[in-house]
Amino acid sequence: MEKPSVSLWVKMEPFIVGALQIPPPSKFSMHYLRKMSTYVRMRSGRGYYPYLTWSMWRHIACGKLQLEKELAWLYFELFDSLVEQTSEERLEWAEVISGCVTEEETEKQRNRLSVDTLQFLLFLYIQQLNKVSLRTSLLGDEWPNPKSKSHSGLKESANQIKNWNDNYHHDFVENHLQDLLELLLDPDQLSASSHSMHSSLLSPKAVQALSFLIEGSVDQNRTVYPLHELALWQPLHAKSGFSKLSKAFSCAKFESWLRTCLTGNPFGATACLTSGRKLAWAQQVEGTTKRAKIACNTHIVPSVHRVIVMSQVYKQTLAKSSVTLEDTHVRIHRCCESFIYLLSPLRSVTIEKCRNSTFILGPVQTVVHLHSCDNVKLVAVCHRLSLSSTNGCTLHVLTPTRPLILLGNQAITFAPFHTHYPMLEDHMGRTGLATVPNNWDNPMIVCKENCDREVFRLLPSSEFYPFVVPFEMEGDTTEIPGGLPPAYQKALSQREQRIRIWQKTVKEAELTKNQRKTFQMLVENKFYEWLVHTGSRQQLDSLVLPAAGSKQAAG
């Protein structure tokens, strides 16, 4: 009988969504995580192991790792967002938190949460993905730098490439595999691990935790299995090192099996670019010299692995609302002077090195991250928003978590979410996103390098205008979910009142036919000047598509 051929690979989502694009706290080093591993497992059943409660993590993070409480919560909540939950569970949690009036009430509700202890240790360890190497920094541009505008493709900002580069994920896990396994050892094994891991044993629970990072297949990737299911499969016991007598894995054999079977991610961004389906969603606008490059793997992979990569959309309006987009990880790269509408529920979105463009997104279940963008407008409902190396960007967001201001940002404007499309509330329900709580106006400056509070501002209500999605779609949403904050609604109402007064004044002026014609031409000329000045004319021109273009583009 032919032996099964096993392929294992490193999952991409923990790195795209879970690894913050900042150097990790110094006490996330292996030395301290090893101590934490022993500490929690020696306190089994007391809120530390096998599940770690928020109160116990707060005790460790603030008391022993010297983290600020908000940063401790950030890592805990970020990991919790990676755990598979139903939309109903997410909406229930939003309702509970929005009902908390005091910080004490919020803490009481947070104490209801717990995470898998071993997986959380692995999650803390992979934060080293964006650890800055002094040697690398001297050789190249590793630190996020808003002034770095290289467009050669050779000097990409290393921290962002790491989060989307599945080859780097593979190398990171392979190079640090021994450390990862050591974190999973039982306390009595851990004490001897500094001498040799050759005789150490891994429990099935430990291998199950490693499924947080690794998965695989035995049928040429047609069916994907968690790592522990493959490792415990009887035909693979001899190679994976599992013993029925000890009901544990030989650490040495298990490590050797992993290294032998680890291969590139068949569903990662690299595979999507090389073998994914090329998409052409937008009409080529007359006069442009570049054609958008769009690829996806949604036709061949399970939903959790769906990836779409969009690059070099130039002076175009691109719009889509379809199952092709649903639950995908989207990377938008090097787009310029364009308007992009992705009106479906999405898993995550990364917008990188884009300029002078507007992005209108459907609800994003995990994170929207902007990196190295200039003069970008974002309109989105998302679980989390984070920014690094951005300049002059305006962000209209509805989010239950505090927006994260990471490294290298300048002149950021936060504003309330200000649009709707017919399917929006349905899509929000499917992604578990509610209208409350909404922390759009309470950003968190994560890095001390960004201690200048003037790095961001809140949009003055006098500058606020609602945004209209210019496509016909089926659905029931007819207004902005949750409404507008009172100050912005008041400014909008006052502006509408002034318009009504102006219209009444014109009506009562009793102009002659020639005067009305002259007045109309004057208004139209001023409106045209405004369209050109604001860049809105380009968007209107690009919306003129052949034969029922609006319905086609939005469908």
Side-chain angles (χ1 to χ4, degrees):
M1 181 177 178
E2 185 178 351
K3 294 183 179 179
S5 176
V6 181
S7 296
L8 302 175
W9 57 85
V10 178
K11 296 162 69 173
M12 193 166 67
E13 179 166 288
F15 294 94
I16 292 178
V17 176
L20 281 182
Q21 291 86 345
I22 56 171
S26 60
K27 292 195 175 180
F28 281 8
S29 66
M30 186 61 186
H31 172 74
Y32 288 100
L33 292 183
R34 187 187 294 115
K35 285 188 173 184
M36 178 179 165
S37 178
T38 303
Y39 184 84
V40 296
R41 297 177 77 152
M42 293 297 287
R43 289 158 178 78
S44 177
R46 293 164 52 187
Y48 290 95
Y49 182 83
Y51 293 98
L52 181 67
T53 64
W54 157 242
S55 59
M56 296 300 103
W57 164 241
R58 183 184 61 208
H59 168 70
I60 294 172
C62 301
K64 299 184 180 300
L65 302 181
Q66 304 300 306
L67 299 185
E68 295 180 0
K69 179 183 167 184
E70 280 302 306
L71 190 59
W73 170 249
L74 170 59
Y75 283 108
F76 191 85
E77 197 277 334
L78 182 59
F79 174 77
D80 187 62
S81 70
L82 284 168
V83 177
E84 185 174 346
Q85 296 177 337
T86 65
S87 58
E88 290 78 12
E89 289 172 331
R90 294 178 184 272
L91 291 171
E92 180 184 350
W93 174 251
E95 184 178 358
V96 167
I97 290 299
S98 63
C100 295
V101 178
T102 65
E103 185 176 349
E104 290 74 18
E105 291 178 359
T106 301
E107 282 297 290
K108 183 179 179 180
Q109 295 302 330
R110 287 179 176 180
N111 287 336
R112 294 169 47 195
L113 298 179
S114 62
V115 296
D116 184 287
T117 306
L118 295 184
Q119 289 188 3
F120 188 62
L121 280 167
L122 298 178
F123 165 79
L124 296 179
Y125 188 88
I126 69 170
Q127 301 305 317
Q128 296 185 47
L129 179 81
N130 290 314
K131 185 177 181 180
V132 174
S133 163
L134 179 59
R135 179 177 180 274
T136 306
S137 297
L138 292 173
L139 294 175
D141 181 21
E142 178 160 321
W143 198 273
N145 182 1
K147 296 181 180 179
S148 176
K149 302 299 179 188
S150 171
H151 292 274
S152 65
L154 300 176
K155 278 195 173 183
E156 300 278 1
S157 181
N159 77 318
Q160 184 63 20
I161 286 181
K162 292 174 184 176
N163 283 73
W164 262 89
N165 189 334
D166 43 282
N167 294 323
Y168 193 90
H169 306 162
H170 174 278
D171 292 344
F172 179 86
V173 169
E174 188 173 54
N175 294 337
H176 299 87
L177 186 57
Q178 200 166 80
D179 283 351
L180 294 169
L181 294 176
E182 187 175 331
L183 288 176
L184 301 176
L185 291 176
D186 291 325
D188 55 339
Q189 309 252 11
L190 191 60
S191 61
S193 66
S194 57
H195 303 289
S196 173
M197 292 181 63
H198 184 74
S199 59
S200 299
L201 297 176
L202 278 171
S203 67
K205 175 69 176 175
V207 174
Q208 184 175 356
L210 199 56
S211 295
F212 171 64
L213 294 178
I214 300 174
E215 60 190 4
S217 177
V218 291
D219 57 3
Q220 296 182 335
N221 309 329
R222 289 190 294 272
T223 308
V224 178
Y225 299 95
L227 171 65
H228 65 279
E229 290 187 11
L230 293 173
L232 288 169
W233 189 31
Q234 196 278 331
L236 296 176
H237 284 178
K239 289 189 176 295
S240 67
F242 182 73
S243 167
K244 290 184 177 179
L245 294 176
S246 64
K247 294 184 178 179
F249 293 83
S250 162
C251 195
K253 277 192 172 183
F254 182 73
E255 180 184 353
S256 176
W257 177 66
L258 284 181
R259 293 189 184 278
T260 300
C261 297
L262 269 181
T263 185
N265 187 341
F267 308 127
T270 302
C272 178
L273 289 172
T274 55
S275 58
R277 176 181 294 172
K278 302 300 185 290
L279 300 179
W281 290 348
Q283 295 287 334
Q284 183 72 14
V285 179
E286 184 178 355
T288 61
T289 58
K290 298 181 180 179
R291 183 174 294 274
K293 299 178 180 179
I294 307 170
C296 76
N297 64 5
T298 57
H299 59 296
I300 57 172
V301 304
S303 60
V304 71
H305 302 91
R306 294 157 67 94
V307 172
I308 291 178
V309 179
M310 304 168 54
S311 186
Q312 299 180 35
V313 180
Y314 178 65
K315 287 190 175 181
Q316 295 184 23
T317 292
L318 182 150
K320 193 75 171 177
S321 178
S322 73
V323 293
T324 303
L325 280 176
E326 291 179 7
D327 303 318
T328 56
H329 294 283
V330 181
R331 186 189 185 202
I332 305 174
H333 180 250
R334 294 195 185 284
C335 296
C336 182
E337 299 182 43
S338 294
F339 298 84
I340 296 178
Y341 298 78
L342 304 180
L343 305 180
S344 292
L346 308 169
R347 181 64 178 167
S348 78
V349 177
T350 299
I351 302 173
E352 181 184 358
K353 295 185 180 297
C354 294
R355 295 182 292 115
N356 305 323
S357 296
T358 297
F359 302 94
I360 301 90
L361 307 177
V364 181
Q365 190 173 40
T366 58
V367 64
V368 176
H369 181 69
L370 269 68
H371 174 75
S372 196
C373 292
D374 290 330
N375 192 31
V376 157
K377 178 181 287 186
L378 170 71
V379 184
V381 179
C382 58
H383 178 75
R384 184 179 306 284
L385 171 69
S386 60
L387 317 166
S388 60
S389 302
T390 63
N391 181 46
C393 296
T394 300
L395 313 164
H396 289 265
V397 292
L398 191 167
T399 176
T401 61
R402 299 179 65 185
L404 303 181
I405 299 177
L406 306 178
L407 289 165
N409 300 287
Q410 299 176 10
I412 305 303
T413 299
F414 291 99
F417 185 74
H418 65 333
T419 193
H420 62 86
Y421 61 91
M423 288 292 291
L424 177 56
E425 289 174 313
D426 178 68
H427 291 167
M428 289 176 64
R430 289 171 56 183
T431 52
L433 291 168
T435 57
V436 289
N438 186 3
N439 281 292
W440 71 270
D441 56 349
N442 186 27
M444 177 180 176
I445 298 178
V446 178
C447 304
K448 296 300 182 183
E449 289 79 1
N450 275 320
C451 60
D452 183 3
R453 299 294 298 180
E454 294 183 2
V455 71
F456 75 90
R457 68 164 189 157
L458 301 183
L459 182 73
S461 58
S462 60
E463 299 178 20
F464 175 79
Y465 293 87
F467 186 90
V468 177
V469 174
F471 301 110
E472 294 180 13
M473 300 170 62
E474 295 182 358
D476 299 325
T477 303
T478 57
E479 57 186 17
I480 299 169
L484 294 171
Y488 294 87
Q489 183 60 57
K490 180 180 179 181
L492 193 60
S493 298
Q494 290 174 341
R495 190 178 297 123
E496 291 172 349
Q497 178 65 18
R498 288 196 296 269
I499 292 174
R500 286 193 291 269
I501 293 173
W502 181 82
Q503 289 174 332
K504 181 180 179 182
T505 302
V506 173
K507 184 177 181 180
E508 294 176 350
E510 297 182 352
L511 301 177
T512 65
K513 183 176 180 180
N514 288 336
Q515 287 175 328
R516 285 199 303 271
K517 185 176 180 180
T518 302
F519 183 72
Q520 182 179 353
M521 291 178 59
L522 178 63
V523 171
E524 290 177 353
N525 288 338
K526 289 294 183 182
F527 179 62
Y528 182 81
E529 290 176 8
W530 177 85
L531 287 175
V532 173
H533 177 71
T534 61
S536 300
R537 183 194 171 192
Q538 174 201 329
Q539 184 183 17
L540 290 175
D541 289 346
S542 62
L543 286 171
V544 180
L545 300 175
S550 63
K551 291 185 179 181
Q552 178 182 353

